[in-house]
Amino acid sequence: MDEKLRNMTSIYITKGEEMLLLFRQCGSVVSDTWVGAAGGHFEENELNDPKACVLRELKEELGISENGIRNLLLRYVTLRRMKGEIRQNYYFFAELDNEVVGDHIVSTEGISRWFALSELSALEMPYTAKFVMEHYLKIGRRTNDMYVGVADGKRVNFTKLPEY
């Protein structure tokens, strides 16, 4: 096996019936599409700690610390094989804390914008993110379960990942 591993995180932040997304521009892997509010690649010291990675990216890209969000949960882990890499994506969801003024959040990575949940399915998103959002809107937002998804070239197949 010659494939390399690429580990990435994303955080999707909600406020009521809205979600903050980023139109990422000039990204090294993903560019000119809507993605989670913040995210990126793991640093070497974060390889076993996706939460540390997503919190660092949240602070770097949006200036929001862990105190600015509530109910941070890892909800989806996806696998995709592409361009000689096995891409592992860790998707977190959280709620914006009421104390944070959320209408004018500025990102260092592109354009941040709040969307009504009903608008999300029409947006252009990276391959696995599109399926995560579809599943989240249909099933995931009504649970606190964690799901694992494997991309097969036609879609991403999700299975609930229980702890036992």
Side-chain angles (χ1 to χ4, degrees):
M1 176 175 107
D2 292 337
E3 283 92 357
K4 302 289 184 193
L5 297 179
R6 183 182 293 270
N7 295 290
M8 298 172 283
T9 61
S10 276
I11 184 168
Y12 291 83
I13 299 172
T14 59
K15 177 181 71 168
E17 290 294 307
E18 294 183 308
M19 185 175 286
L20 182 66
L21 295 180
L22 166 73
F23 190 76
R24 184 172 294 278
Q25 299 171 308
C26 303
S28 61
V29 176
V30 174
S31 192
D32 300 326
T33 189
W34 291 101
V35 297
H41 297 90
F42 284 51
E43 298 291 336
E44 195 172 312
N45 63 320
E46 298 166 338
L47 289 178
N48 291 316
D49 193 353
K51 181 180 177 184
C53 179
V54 83
L55 288 173
R56 175 184 53 77
E57 294 285 358
L58 182 65
K59 184 68 173 167
E60 287 177 3
E61 295 179 12
L62 297 176
I64 298 174
S65 69
E66 187 172 5
N67 295 335
I69 56 173
R70 299 185 318 262
N71 302 322
L72 176 66
L73 292 172
L74 174 59
R75 299 295 313 285
Y76 294 88
V77 179
T78 62
L79 292 172
R80 180 181 184 196
R81 199 168 162 201
M82 182 182 178
K83 297 181 181 177
E85 298 177 331
I86 297 173
R87 295 184 177 185
Q88 300 176 114
N89 288 281
Y90 297 81
Y91 293 93
F92 287 83
F93 286 74
E95 299 164 34
L96 189 67
D97 189 88
N98 294 333
E99 302 298 314
V100 177
V101 178
D103 290 334
H104 303 293
I105 295 175
V106 176
S107 173
T108 61
E109 299 288 323
I111 301 164
S112 294
R113 181 173 158 211
W114 289 101
F115 287 93
L117 295 179
S118 61
E119 297 177 284
L120 299 177
S121 60
L123 298 175
E124 182 73 28
M125 294 180 182
Y127 186 80
T128 57
K130 186 77 169 170
F131 287 103
V132 163
M133 192 53 57
E134 176 185 292
H135 188 274
Y136 174 79
L137 292 171
K138 190 182 213 181
I139 298 167
R141 72 182 226 176
R142 291 167 184 76
T143 75
N144 284 329
D145 295 328
M146 184 186 301
Y147 297 90
V148 62
V150 177
D152 67 8
K154 296 178 185 155
R155 61 177 297 100
V156 177
N157 299 298
F158 291 101
T159 301
K160 186 163 73 169
L161 187 62
E163 186 169 346
Y164 60 93

